[in-house]
Amino acid sequence: MNRMKLYYAPGACSLADHTALHEAGQAFDIERVDIRTHMTEHGIDFRTVSAKGYVPALVLPDGQLLTENIAVLDHLASLYPQLAPAGPLGRSRLIEALAFISTELHRAFKPMWHGGSERERAHAAETVTGHLRLMCDAMKGPFLFGKEPTGADFYLFVMLVWAERFNVEVPQQMVELKRQMLERPAVRAALQAEAPVRTEV
Ligand SMILES: N[C@@H](CCC(=O)N[C@@H](CS)C(=O)NCC(=O)O)C(=O)O
């Protein structure tokens, strides 16, 4: 059977999907994308793979392409239930968290990645810290939903790596979540495959 194949860029949000694939424990393929030139490591124009031109993009075993972190991480949770919280509302809670991370937290970093003014970057940093505090208030354990991380925690981890990179204030619970993440073999494997990515605590 064909394997899934993830198109990723080092340290980008696709690190969440990459980590989830490692947590799932099934073999998969990866291909690096340079998001400035849109060329892949095999010399293919990535826009011929995904017209959106951004990562993550996951090619499924039947050849279909799945994009958007929310959809990719939810699909992986449908295949590997350990990537979602348990219980009847588990998948809905996962999507709720993924949507918040994608549309509020991830989006808030835009001025930092895309040359915002000092004022815009300061405002963005405050927004990120505020969103992280909100998430802390709802945390059910060391990870968002308890003792074990889900796909949402892997996405959150990427946001925490970015927060570190841009010197954004992070609540202590989130510092601890990031530290625990860095001990997980799946996180280490994804980071090693994507190296170099700065992750200092
Ligand atoms: N809506 C997309 C956004 C993905 C996204 O922002 N990807 C960034 C990396 S974190 C990217 O590939 N940017 C390159 C570009 O937009 O050309 C999702 O949630 O998956």
Side-chain angles (χ1 to χ4, degrees):
M1 184 162 126
N2 290 332
R3 296 170 171 188
M4 286 191 269
K5 178 172 178 177
L6 178 70
Y7 287 87
Y8 78 99
C13 53
S14 47
L15 175 59
D17 314 85
H18 193 176
T19 306
L21 283 163
H22 274 292
E23 284 281 343
Q26 295 288 323
F28 60 92
D29 296 313
I30 53 173
E31 187 160 341
R32 183 184 296 235
V33 179
D34 181 329
I35 50 182
R36 284 168 302 117
T37 63
H38 292 108
M39 298 306 285
T40 77
E41 64 182 296
H42 298 314
I44 293 162
D45 185 335
F46 178 55
R47 287 164 298 193
T48 65
V49 177
S50 173
K52 288 176 174 170
Y54 53 66
V55 292
L58 184 69
V59 182
L60 302 177
D62 67 0
Q64 289 194 68
L65 185 74
L66 194 59
T67 59
E68 304 298 326
N69 279 295
I70 299 173
V72 171
L73 289 165
D74 181 59
H75 179 64
L76 293 177
S78 77
L79 300 175
Y80 308 106
Q82 71 268 30
L83 296 174
L89 267 184
R91 288 276 294 288
S92 302
R93 291 293 179 208
L94 177 72
I95 293 171
E96 185 179 33
L98 291 174
F100 184 74
I101 296 168
S102 174
T103 66
E104 306 295 340
L105 196 48
H106 182 165
R107 197 185 54 162
F109 280 93
K110 279 223 154 97
M112 300 185 215
W113 283 117
H114 301 291
S117 66
E118 200 171 319
R119 196 182 152 156
E120 285 165 337
R121 282 185 279 122
H123 178 68
E126 276 174 30
T127 304
V128 168
T129 305
H131 289 340
L132 292 174
R133 288 206 182 107
L134 270 181
M135 294 189 92
C136 283
D137 292 344
M139 266 168 84
K140 306 257 185 320
F143 296 108
L144 291 174
F145 296 103
K147 288 200 193 107
E148 296 298 332
T150 66
D153 293 275
F154 301 131
Y155 197 177
L156 174 60
F157 171 71
V158 181
M159 300 299 110
L160 295 174
V161 173
W162 292 1
E164 175 83 36
R165 177 184 176 132
F166 294 114
N167 294 316
V168 175
E169 187 190 336
V170 167
Q172 191 53 38
Q173 267 170 285
M174 290 291 172
V175 172
E176 186 54 25
L177 184 148
K178 179 166 170 269
R179 193 192 61 72
Q180 293 210 32
M181 277 290 184
L182 285 167
E183 289 175 4
R184 294 187 78 83
V187 175
R188 286 171 180 260
L191 285 171
Q192 196 178 355
E194 297 197 5
V197 175
R198 284 169 43 193
T199 57
E200 58 275 10
V201 188

